[in-house]
Amino acid sequence: MIATIDIEFTVNGKPVRISVPPRMTLVDCLRDMLGLTGSHIGCEHGVCGACSVMLDRVPIRSCLMFAVQADGAAVTTVEGLEGPDGKLSPLQEAFWDCHAMQCGYCTPGMLVAAQGLLDENPTPTSAEIREAISSNLCRCTGYQQIVEAIQLAAQRMNEGVDHA
Amino acid sequence: MPDDRPAASNYRYISQPRRTKEDKRFITGRGAFVQDVQLAHTKHIALVASPYPRANILSIDTSAALAMDGVLDVITGAELTEHTDRLYHGVDLPNVRWHPLAVDMTRYAGEWVAAVIADSRYIAEDAAELVAVEYEPLDAAIGIERVMEPDAPLVHPDHGSNILLKKKFVWGAVDDDFAAAEHTISYRARWGRSSAVPIETFGVITRWSEKDEVLEVWASIQMPQYQEQIADALRIPLNAVRVHNYIDVGGSYGVKRGIKQTVLSGYAARKLGCPVRLIEDRIDNMSGGDAHGPDRLFDVTLAYNGDGLIRSMKMRVVDDVGAYPGRSIQQLGKPISALCGPYRMSSIEYDVTSVTSNKTSQVAVRGFGQAPTNFALETGVEKIARRLGLDRTEIRRRNFIRHDEFPWKIPSGTAYDSGDYHTVLDKAMRFAGWDALIAQRDAARAEGRLVGLGIATCLEPGGGNNIFEHLLNEKIQITTFVESALLKIDGQGQVTVAISTHTAGQGHQTLAATVAGEELERDPDGIRVVHLDSLEALPTRGPVASRMAIMLGSAVSKAARRLRNRMIHIAAHDLAVADTEVEYADGEFTVRGDPARKRSWLEIVFIAHRQLHRMPPDTEPGLQTIEVHAVPGGGKLPNEKGEVQIYPCFSFQAHIPLVEIDRVTGQVEILDYAVAHDCGTVINPKIVRGMMMGGIGHGIGAALYEKFDYTEDGQLLSGTFLDYLLPSAHEIPDIRDTEHCTPSPLTSHGQKGSGEGGYLGAPAALASAVNDALEPLDISLTELPMRLADIEAALHTHANPVPETAP
Ligand code: FES
Ligand code: FES
């Protein structure tokens, strides 16, 4: 058997201690060992963004990283976007309102990319939104309703409107 | 203009911009995709793929792989062939044998030769590298015209030729029409090998249940005859296959066929007595999976008059289906339903050839062959306009079928249900700001920039009976594709709709709940929609051919109306009046003109479920019903002239993109994109808009970026996302959309199909825009995709790169 390595990190705010094979990718660890199946796998070569998660608040490709490299980090996945009471985030609400998805496969990664943008830039232009999410592929939507959803979320957050 | 969506205001839920039922699970990461299924003791498959496009397999040594810790088995084609039957093709090809793993010979680079089964995918992949295959490489058959040459290497030597199918159809007096026409024009158009390419690859998990003697299947699937074909190949009865249709499919757009993968996994699961999981990685998927789409060469001749009226068309098509055709040959058949598009031609000759090559196999792609056909047709319309100096929109207007002429029968015998093409085109042009766009283009041209305005229209056949299959294979005598709904109102008065198919993002739960809610006047949010597994399921052909609004929508509507009438009947009996005396509204059953005499929804539910003594004597207890809906207007095989009604409903779109081409690099930038669509009554506007937008995005890819490129000796050059370029949010611009509603007379609420139109129109529209931009240089391109390098090459071979005015 291949030796495993002990790591400690937080996932969606909860501390995790786990023993992983050194070559296991972060996305496989999240999905197969921690049961967080919201992060998806589309290419495993860093292009599609379906596996996007936040590592210390920055969106990264969890298919391009080994789980052991997350030792000591704070990981947020799509499952961590909801409030602790299960309340949807403004971005999630806006994705639902605008139907910013069809099959939903790219959606978790798209939400992570969009959240990363809004954390940095709460008033993005449509060109800035396109720039930010061009890291993530969606085959269903043609991106139109995704762009509209991110605009709506930004607008609501800036107005302080609660749409739950 | 009158209000174009009068129907919307008449409905409570239909056509209202309501949230969908599906989205919540996706935004919270709770979708149930096949990769999310966790079964105890699951084993994992990794595939060994051939590096050669055509080679004899001399030997396979599995001993080193089998010796690895954690490896259970290595399955080869020889073993599999002994225990499973060959896979099915859409036409009769007894000597074209197709199995999940190559047998004796490999026929494309990437073809799966062996499957390793191990405790984890990591171990399986390690072991796959230890499988030693000895090959004798052979020359490959590559190139759509080359493969037809007499000395070309044979992909299937037993078949004796690389031509799999050749057929010619003549509908109407083609020769007379050609003789009578004032002009003819001939041209060649080429549709490159691109595809649907969902972000989720195909995956399947199977488990053989000894207890029930049933093969359980969880799969990322979109395939009408899936369970039948698995059962046949595995030599088990159909009622020993249980496909779990609740699995969310991460996009398909036609391609997720999954037959060979499921047969392989199912065989292994039964043999090994544990669940076996085959999840394609991206490279498995793009070189060896259900990956590639049509790859077509068109030679078209149009006969037309000086006023631009097209009288007749001769269309010759060659389609390269790759190594194993499966059902893909039939993608030459479906376009027969709308060969002449929205135009009034009186005769058509259609000459089809399907060839095999040493490329990855072709599968169904969005539109089932219609997008290439529409591109070929629209290319000709534009060419005639240029020759005659006629405005490109005017030539279309002159040829369009008029609103008052429906139902309109095209030469191949299919009647279009309804349409208003002139109005939709006018609307698209007004909405786009056609005159302003022309002015913008001309101003840019005056500055020496290459700016072009495109226009294309398309018809979207929807509803999917597969009668066209008979035209290509007389043994197939299918005359309908059914779809079913089971509706029940339970003892608490809650409504549940059970549907019999999987879903891949088209929003079938929303569709079924919206229609049921409309008919029963119950809030769709409270209606549950479940996916029956294939053993529980009612007759179904599933979500293909833009058909679920038409078929499932109509089935749910009929079932709900029946239950509503049954409730009225129970209320009338309880109130001691005739059925016609009872009105249903807002959950109450009231005697007409006597509002005090009424029964509530819950009272009728209680009577139906529990109070036999208050039930009308002729009525079944409970509140449940099944509707099996046949495709409207189908039901007949072609007549002796080959004329037949293929699809029932025909949606229409007009696309207007404005593009600019970089003179140096050839890069196309889409400056503006406007579209008008008419798919009859819209059930959920957000879903319909999304599918159209997604279709346009897909079409932009096919037109400008995507191609499975091969070297001359048969190596795939674009088998990853690094070299097969899916458009991102950078390449797809903001798209402006408007709509129109010409209801279909054939469906419950006037709805038509909407899943394909964006993809059918966009490639032709972009080709039109690019050619308009290149017109001042007298360059005309008729090959898709028109990639940066293709356009750059055309610009550089052009004799006079200095800007000039149009001739
Ligand atoms: S799966 Fe990680 S980028 Fe595609
Ligand atoms: S919603 Fe299907 S890939 Fe984006």
Side-chain angles (χ1 to χ4, degrees), chain B residues 712-724:
Chain B
E712 272 176 27
D713 52 7
Q715 291 296 336
L716 177 61
L717 290 171
S718 41
T720 74
F721 279 172
L722 296 166
D723 29 42
Y724 185 96

Side-chain angles (χ1 to χ4, degrees), chain B residues 329-534:
Chain B
I329 290 184
Q330 289 287 355
Q331 292 194 93
L332 288 167
K334 190 260 182 96
I336 295 171
S337 63
L339 268 182
C340 52
Y343 308 119
R344 312 156 43 104
M345 291 182 197
S346 51
S347 59
I348 297 175
E349 180 182 298
Y350 185 51
D351 180 344
V352 297
T353 305
S354 181
V355 298
T356 181
S357 71
N358 289 115
K359 292 185 180 177
T360 300
S361 306
Q362 183 188 121
V363 286
V365 169
R366 194 176 214 154
F368 210 62
Q370 190 74 13
T373 308
N374 195 57
F375 159 65
L377 174 65
E378 290 289 278
T379 298
V381 173
E382 300 251 308
K383 283 185 177 294
I384 296 176
R386 287 217 164 79
R387 270 220 186 149
L388 294 175
L390 199 58
D391 182 87
R392 289 175 295 156
T393 63
E394 179 57 24
I395 186 170
R396 289 181 166 88
R397 251 185 236 108
R398 289 186 189 176
N399 282 285
F400 278 161
I401 299 154
R402 287 196 319 268
H403 180 48
D404 56 9
E405 292 176 319
F406 290 91
W408 172 268
K409 196 183 265 192
I410 63 171
S412 52
T414 288
Y416 295 167
D417 57 336
S418 66
D420 192 351
Y421 308 150
H422 292 88
T423 303
V424 178
L425 178 62
D426 286 348
K427 202 165 182 177
M429 289 172 65
R430 238 187 353 264
F431 176 75
W434 179 265
D435 293 339
L437 291 171
I438 292 277
Q440 187 181 341
R441 177 198 68 183
D442 292 346
R445 275 188 187 170
E447 293 168 17
R449 291 159 59 197
L450 296 176
V451 173
L453 184 59
I455 169 84
T457 62
C458 64
L459 271 195
E460 177 179 4
N465 66 42
N466 275 33
I467 295 173
F468 61 79
E469 295 193 12
H470 178 86
L471 291 173
L472 300 192
N473 179 1
E474 283 171 14
K475 286 193 183 159
I476 299 180
Q477 306 241 330
I478 297 171
T479 54
T480 195
F481 254 33
V482 294
E483 204 54 54
S484 310
L486 184 160
L487 225 98
K488 67 174 191 184
I489 301 168
D490 63 27
Q492 288 188 352
Q494 309 293 344
V495 181
T496 300
V497 187
I499 65 178
S500 296
T501 72
H502 41 78
T503 194
Q506 307 98 324
H508 302 138
Q509 292 178 328
T510 302
L511 164 69
T514 305
V515 173
E518 187 70 43
E519 301 290 8
L520 296 171
E521 303 188 25
R522 310 297 287 179
D523 186 342
D525 288 348
I527 295 177
R528 185 166 296 280
V529 182
V530 297
H531 295 266
L532 301 175
D533 73 46
S534 67

Side-chain angles (χ1 to χ4, degrees), chain A residues 1 23-25 28 31-32 37-38 40-45 47-48 50 78-79 82 88 92-93 95-105 107-108 111 126 130-131 133-134 137-145 147-148, chain B residues 19-20 23-24 26-30 33 35-36 38 122-123 126 195-201 249-251 253 281-282 504-505 686-687 689-691 693-694 697-698 706 720-722 724 726-730 732-735:
Chain A
M1 277 314 275
R23 65 174 176 168
M24 175 173 269
T25 59
D28 282 351
R31 292 178 48 81
D32 298 341
T37 54
H40 294 150
I41 297 171
C43 67
E44 294 175 290
H45 49 254
V47 178
C48 74
V78 67
E79 289 91 344
E82 285 169 68
L88 298 177
Q92 288 172 310
E93 288 282 354
F95 263 56
W96 195 1
D97 281 331
C98 295
H99 186 50
M101 72 209 77
Q102 283 165 45
C103 76
Y105 198 75
T107 309
L111 283 164
S126 119
R130 285 186 178 275
E131 172 70 31
I133 63 164
S134 66
L137 295 175
C138 173
R139 189 54 148 177
C140 292
T141 62
Y143 308 100
Q144 184 77 25
Q145 282 150 298
V147 173
E148 289 166 5
Chain B
R19 283 178 162 192
T20 70
D23 288 1
K24 187 167 180 197
F26 300 132
I27 54 178
T28 54
R30 295 194 185 94
F33 296 93
Q35 293 182 47
D36 305 341
Q38 299 279 1
Y122 288 77
I123 298 171
D126 286 346
S195 190
V197 196
I199 306 301
E200 182 206 48
T201 58
V249 179
Y253 334 96
D281 69 22
R282 183 52 61 187
K686 295 184 191 197
I687 291 178
R689 179 166 180 259
M691 287 200 282
M693 293 292 181
H698 188 181
E706 298 176 33
T720 74
F721 279 172
L722 296 166
Y724 185 96
L726 295 180
S728 77
H730 257 316
I732 300 180
D734 275 317
I735 291 163

